[in-house]
Amino acid sequence: MDRAEPRGRAGGVRETIRCWIWWTGKYSLWHATRRNKSLGSTRLAGRSLQRRLEIIESCVVLFFSLVGMLAEQFLADGPKLQLYNFAEKHWEDLMNWQHATMYLFFGLAATVSLVLHTTEAAPLALDRLMLAVAFFNEGFLFLYHLHGRSMLDVHMHQLLLYAVFGQAIVAFLEVFHRGNIILELLRCTLTILQGSWFWEIGFVLYPPSGAEWDLKDHSNMMFVTMCYSWHLAFAMLVVSVLYCTVSCVVRSRLKRTPPMEMGLLKSRERDAESEDDVL
Amino acid sequence: MDRAEPRGRAGGVRETIRCWIWWTGKYSLWHATRRNKSLGSTRLAGRSLQRRLEIIESCVVLFFSLVGMLAEQFLADGPKLQLYNFAEKHWEDLMNWQHATMYLFFGLAATVSLVLHTTEAAPLALDRLMLAVAFFNEGFLFLYHLHGRSMLDVHMHQLLLYAVFGQAIVAFLEVFHRGNIILELLRCTLTILQGSWFWEIGFVLYPPSGAEWDLKDHSNMMFVTMCYSWHLAFAMLVVSVLYCTVSCVVRSRLKRTPPMEMGLLKSRERDAESEDDVL
Amino acid sequence: MDRAEPRGRAGGVRETIRCWIWWTGKYSLWHATRRNKSLGSTRLAGRSLQRRLEIIESCVVLFFSLVGMLAEQFLADGPKLQLYNFAEKHWEDLMNWQHATMYLFFGLAATVSLVLHTTEAAPLALDRLMLAVAFFNEGFLFLYHLHGRSMLDVHMHQLLLYAVFGQAIVAFLEVFHRGNIILELLRCTLTILQGSWFWEIGFVLYPPSGAEWDLKDHSNMMFVTMCYSWHLAFAMLVVSVLYCTVSCVVRSRLKRTPPMEMGLLKSRERDAESEDDVL
Amino acid sequence: MDRAEPRGRAGGVRETIRCWIWWTGKYSLWHATRRNKSLGSTRLAGRSLQRRLEIIESCVVLFFSLVGMLAEQFLADGPKLQLYNFAEKHWEDLMNWQHATMYLFFGLAATVSLVLHTTEAAPLALDRLMLAVAFFNEGFLFLYHLHGRSMLDVHMHQLLLYAVFGQAIVAFLEVFHRGNIILELLRCTLTILQGSWFWEIGFVLYPPSGAEWDLKDHSNMMFVTMCYSWHLAFAMLVVSVLYCTVSCVVRSRLKRTPPMEMGLLKSRERDAESEDDVL
């Protein structure tokens, strides 16, 4: 733990940026599927387009998790695939290994999702289970990550766990309630919350202004807790603004379509949806 | 925390009264929807009236949460929107900010409910999710609110959390089982429990008679635990009396309606209900 | 707590016996409904008989909980409805008051069940919710009951909580999955477990042989944990033997009925069951 | 606890090997039912074959749990059915008794499964409930097994509990979602995880190389946590490779069947499946 402290600052910021990337990827996926669902009744997005988007998204996530793993291993202070230093008898850069393990699980989830949407080898719900496992694994590693840190540091990472385990639970519920828009919106909200909270952790623990926070002051801890609520409110705001924008755009487009054709399209869409359920 | 102690007494009573108002609002909502559901078979309450009641209720909640937020900020000892006191280097009235945050989330829930019932932009179940988030946020802030208080104070607030998290869980279950009367009655009971327990907290921690309770006596703690059970029994009693009264009134009215018309009304009601499920 | 110690032994045994009675009542209810469900296809038990049995059972439970409350209050060392001793400034017999509160909730559950099965004023699932609340309340009071006791005493009561909260959860699940035989058998098993574990607690803490157990020895604690597993296995055995006996008896009776009539009966039974679901 | 230490090393390895056997049994069951489900559309595996396989598997599990119980009791250092040593006033080999109790519950689950599949006396879902109870009991005994051990030892056993309670929860969910392949794959994964983690515990606590691990070093604990994630990834890999192999083999066989006959087989399979649901 001690060895990780000196390069902690860079690590925190790095984490933040990477998570932000991941979140953007995830979020645009959400945007895309959202649009798909609604636009299903127009000719803009059928089942095949939706699948293509899912495949592209899986590839992007897979690519970023590979990059993440390689970066954790081979950048400046990485362990370079060496796990145990037999000379000095200690584990080599456990932090980096843990981050790489987190990426590994998101990479696995993306691989499974890729296989599912290209070959239909297994029920689609498996991708949500893999996502749940990846989030659970992330939370699990963070949970045992906190030994010996200062009070505020521990507290902020514990708050992060609410978002991470929340995502895991929602993803697991989606195994049984696939396509439930409430759960999907909730998962997006929690993903944004996780991303913005990573940024906040970086901001508090390694303040850019240079004025250090007192990590043992209880009123700081209370402020941070409240701040977490504000991040949640902010995340809900972002998701709802985006959701409203997309559904308004879709509606205005639908109004321009002749009414008779809409009926046909609707039944076509229903087929696509039931197909989605069966697969 | 220390700074909050002197004005704690007023705060506790204020909290109580506000929660009581909130509870009354919520409870009459329940009353109204209950009546709606049952009276659906008479001409007194159709789907449009139900919607109008939901809109009115959302407005009332929104109004009270705005008032609550403003009161917390601008009344006598409020922070007046100042978050950090740079001169004295401490956070300004964190308690008030936390209470304002709680109101904010109930305000958000009311806003979403208002939008849902006026525009039908999103699935109706979203209002229960927002309610669940608002209750969860309330419990979450209370949970990290308790540092450094005396044993009995902490214990009474922890008991409160049972009701608050219970409400959050029940509201979340209602996302999937909307219109389940068992869950709705349970939520009402927990809301009354929360309200009456707020009053009890005020009564114990700032006794009107002036005779202070020993906040470190274990037998006081045991009594308070049992007292919580009694509040729960009382809340169940209130809910069941009201439920019985309403259903008796409805039944007696239905008896006066000619039987043939009732069949027609029943099928109309079924339409309304299925409409409710679809939306 | 200290005052409760001298009369603890009698109290423990009394508790055990009362719980045993409650368990027997509950268990024969199970037996009866089990038989009802299975015998539904014979002429022995129709819907009306089932309802009559439920009403009788509710009355019995109500009677015993009234007796229990009165006994706790007015027997030799009871508080006689006096809650606070103003002369000596302490709470009067909190233990008895807590036990009376537990009985109160079971009495409430029985009252609600009685009202539901006689008047059909509310959905039937409410009786399971009340049962869940009663069990939850029991576990809740036990949870805050344990301060200042010796290690083994605390441990044995904590083990009891597994059974009590298990019953609460199963009863709550039955609100949504009413009539699921797996859940009903599980609830019976946990009820027997609770009853036999009460007896075990009495046996260990107030041994009839007079040879006191060392309440601080860790190997005693490990033995007690394992013993809990054995009680669970025993409870499962009792439930399965009874279940098999009843279903064998029912089958042998059914074989004696002429086959043609059976078809008629089967459809009649299906009606009864769907009626059960609707109500 | 002290007495168990000297023979702990052998016990740990023994546990590992036994669990491995159990896991292999369980896993081949999974393999078989998996194949059954998929091959249902060929002539290789109908409902009767599936039942026969379940019966065989139950017998194997029953046999191994009997062997396990006898081995724990009568091998070299077993208690030979003596529970309490009255001469020296201590419990006899509580560890062995606890392991025997774990086997007992798996034996009970196998017995119930055997009875269910031969006589159809009760709903099939009962076998999953018994499995859930057996896993819960295993986790429960491990939970109170850890007093007074060194930090790393406790931590590794706590990690094991994630897998064990995970299995219990998944098996309980299967009571309501029987035949859900996602849950079945998850349960298999957790079973392999448990098996390989048992091996890892043996490897770390009783290292074959002789170089002892420092059981109080925090970085060892962090490595072990990460290692648990790798075991999970490994288990997921094994399950997915096997799943893919089986489904590829089945597909290649199906391609060789003439298309017309397939239609007939499909409807036959659907019958079998609905039969499975009813029973």
Side-chain angles (χ1 to χ4, degrees), chain B residues 211-261:
Chain B
E212 295 278 334
W213 288 50
D214 181 354
L215 296 184
K216 278 166 192 166
D217 183 12
H218 186 72
S219 70
N220 275 343
M221 212 165 121
M222 275 183 74
F223 167 70
V224 155
T225 308
M226 188 171 53
C227 200
Y228 190 74
S229 290
W230 296 349
H231 277 262
L232 177 57
F234 165 75
M236 292 197 299
L237 196 76
V238 171
V239 167
S240 56
V241 164
L242 223 105
Y243 176 80
C244 289
T245 317
V246 171
S247 56
C248 283
V249 169
V250 172
R251 263 178 211 200
S252 66
R253 289 205 177 198
L254 277 176
K255 274 184 191 141
R256 276 179 259 142
T257 341
M260 195 207 68
E261 210 178 339

Side-chain angles (χ1 to χ4, degrees), chain A residues 14-272:
Chain A
R14 226 189 306 141
E15 251 174 63
T16 311
I17 294 168
R18 269 176 215 150
C19 177
W20 197 261
I21 291 168
W22 158 246
W23 157 70
T24 314
K26 183 75 218 148
Y27 184 46
S28 48
L29 154 75
W30 164 74
H31 193 154
T33 43
R34 237 7 0 88
R35 180 162 15 211
N36 269 341
K37 275 270 152 67
S38 314
L39 284 175
S41 41
T42 73
R43 281 128 308 181
L44 296 173
R47 172 122 184 92
S48 63
L49 178 55
Q50 192 182 338
R51 176 170 295 182
R52 224 173 302 150
L53 274 174
E54 294 260 18
I55 290 170
I56 292 168
E57 191 242 332
S58 299
C59 292
V60 171
V61 173
L62 189 56
F63 174 74
F64 275 115
S65 47
L66 282 176
V67 167
M69 275 191 278
L70 293 175
E72 288 287 352
Q73 290 290 341
F74 296 108
L75 280 197
D77 51 357
K80 296 180 183 59
L81 291 181
Q82 190 192 2
L83 183 56
Y84 193 73
N85 189 329
F86 286 96
E88 300 175 33
K89 299 221 172 215
H90 64 73
W91 300 100
E92 201 63 59
D93 294 306
L94 274 180
M95 282 285 195
N96 291 41
W97 276 100
Q98 290 206 342
H99 296 162
T101 305
M102 292 179 195
Y103 287 121
L104 172 68
F105 273 77
F106 283 104
L108 283 178
T111 312
V112 167
S113 176
L114 195 63
V115 170
L116 288 176
H117 286 101
T118 44
T119 68
E120 303 188 356
L124 273 187
L126 206 60
D127 63 345
R128 299 301 153 94
L129 182 69
M130 293 301 293
L131 207 60
V133 169
F135 279 125
F136 176 80
N137 180 64
E138 187 190 341
F140 171 76
L141 287 177
F142 269 121
L143 192 66
Y144 292 104
H145 212 239
L146 303 173
H147 182 86
R149 300 194 181 184
S150 66
M151 191 181 74
L152 192 65
D153 195 343
V154 167
H155 182 61
M156 289 189 87
H157 278 88
Q158 275 173 348
L159 292 179
L160 187 70
L161 292 179
Y162 280 86
V164 176
F165 283 121
Q167 284 172 302
I169 290 168
V170 171
F172 189 71
L173 281 176
E174 278 188 86
V175 171
F176 301 99
H177 298 272
R178 192 183 178 83
N180 185 323
I181 196 172
I182 309 276
L183 288 178
E184 287 173 345
L185 290 176
L186 184 57
R187 187 151 54 87
C188 293
T189 308
L190 291 173
T191 309
I192 301 176
L193 175 61
Q194 188 192 341
S196 71
W197 192 247
F198 259 125
W199 177 86
E200 181 79 33
I201 291 178
F203 187 86
V204 168
L205 298 186
Y206 321 101
S209 66
E212 296 278 333
W213 289 50
D214 179 356
L215 297 183
K216 277 166 193 167
D217 183 12
H218 186 71
S219 71
N220 276 344
M221 211 165 122
M222 275 182 74
F223 167 71
V224 155
T225 308
M226 187 170 54
C227 199
Y228 189 73
S229 290
W230 295 349
H231 277 262
L232 177 57
F234 165 75
M236 293 197 299
L237 196 75
V238 171
V239 167
S240 55
V241 164
L242 223 107
Y243 177 80
C244 289
T245 316
V246 171
S247 55
C248 284
V249 169
V250 172
R251 262 179 213 200
S252 65
R253 290 206 177 199
L254 278 177
K255 272 183 192 141
R256 275 180 260 144
T257 341
M260 195 208 69
E261 210 178 339
M262 267 183 68
L264 286 171
L265 286 162
K266 238 180 192 158
S267 69
R268 254 197 0 230
E269 183 208 19
R270 201 162 298 153
D271 289 1

Side-chain angles (χ1 to χ4, degrees), chain C residues 10-274:
Chain C
V13 175
R14 227 191 304 140
E15 249 174 63
T16 310
I17 294 167
R18 269 175 214 148
C19 176
W20 196 261
I21 292 167
W22 158 247
W23 158 70
T24 314
K26 184 73 218 150
Y27 184 45
S28 48
L29 154 75
W30 164 74
H31 192 154
T33 43
R34 237 1 8 86
R35 179 158 21 204
N36 269 340
K37 275 270 153 66
S38 315
L39 284 174
S41 41
T42 72
R43 281 129 307 181
L44 297 173
R47 171 121 185 96
S48 62
L49 178 57
Q50 194 183 339
R51 175 170 294 181
R52 224 172 301 149
L53 273 174
E54 294 260 17
I55 290 171
I56 292 169
E57 191 243 332
S58 300
C59 293
V60 170
V61 173
L62 189 56
F63 174 74
F64 275 115
S65 46
L66 282 176
V67 167
M69 276 190 278
L70 293 176
E72 289 286 352
Q73 290 291 339
F74 296 107
L75 279 196
D77 52 356
K80 296 180 184 59
L81 290 180
Q82 191 193 359
L83 184 57
Y84 194 73
N85 190 329
F86 286 95
E88 300 175 31
K89 300 220 172 217
H90 64 73
W91 299 101
E92 201 62 60
D93 294 306
L94 273 180
M95 282 284 193
N96 291 39
W97 276 100
Q98 290 206 343
H99 295 162
T101 306
M102 292 179 194
Y103 288 120
L104 172 68
F105 273 78
F106 283 103
L108 283 177
T111 313
V112 167
S113 176
L114 196 64
V115 171
L116 287 176
H117 287 100
T118 46
T119 68
E120 304 190 355
L124 273 188
L126 206 59
D127 63 346
R128 299 301 153 93
L129 182 68
M130 294 300 295
L131 207 60
V133 170
F135 279 125
F136 177 79
N137 179 64
E138 187 190 340
F140 171 77
L141 286 177
F142 270 121
L143 192 65
Y144 292 104
H145 213 239
L146 303 174
H147 182 87
R149 299 195 181 185
S150 65
M151 191 180 75
L152 191 66
D153 195 343
V154 167
H155 182 62
M156 289 190 87
H157 278 87
Q158 276 174 348
L159 292 180
L160 187 71
L161 291 179
Y162 280 86
V164 176
F165 283 121
Q167 283 171 304
I169 290 168
V170 171
F172 189 71
L173 281 176
E174 278 187 86
V175 171
F176 301 100
H177 299 272
R178 193 185 179 79
N180 185 324
I181 197 173
I182 308 277
L183 288 179
E184 288 173 345
L185 289 176
L186 184 56
R187 186 152 55 87
C188 293
T189 308
L190 291 173
T191 309
I192 300 177
L193 175 62
Q194 189 192 341
S196 71
W197 192 247
F198 260 126
W199 177 86
E200 181 80 33
I201 291 178
F203 187 85
V204 168
L205 299 185
Y206 320 101
S209 66
E212 296 278 334
W213 289 49
D214 179 357
L215 296 182
K216 277 166 192 166
D217 183 11
H218 186 71
S219 70
N220 276 343
M221 211 165 121
M222 276 182 74
F223 167 70
V224 155
T225 308
M226 187 171 53
C227 199
Y228 190 73
S229 291
W230 295 349
H231 277 262
L232 177 57
F234 165 74
M236 292 197 299
L237 196 76
V238 170
V239 167
S240 53
V241 164
L242 222 107
Y243 177 79
C244 289
T245 315
V246 172
S247 55
C248 283
V249 168
V250 172
R251 262 179 212 202
S252 65
R253 290 205 177 199
L254 278 176
K255 273 182 191 143
R256 276 180 259 143
T257 341
M260 196 206 70
E261 210 177 340
M262 268 183 66
L264 287 171
L265 286 161
K266 238 180 190 159
S267 70
R268 262 210 338 246
E269 183 209 22
R270 201 162 296 154
D271 289 1
E273 269 192 311
S274 63

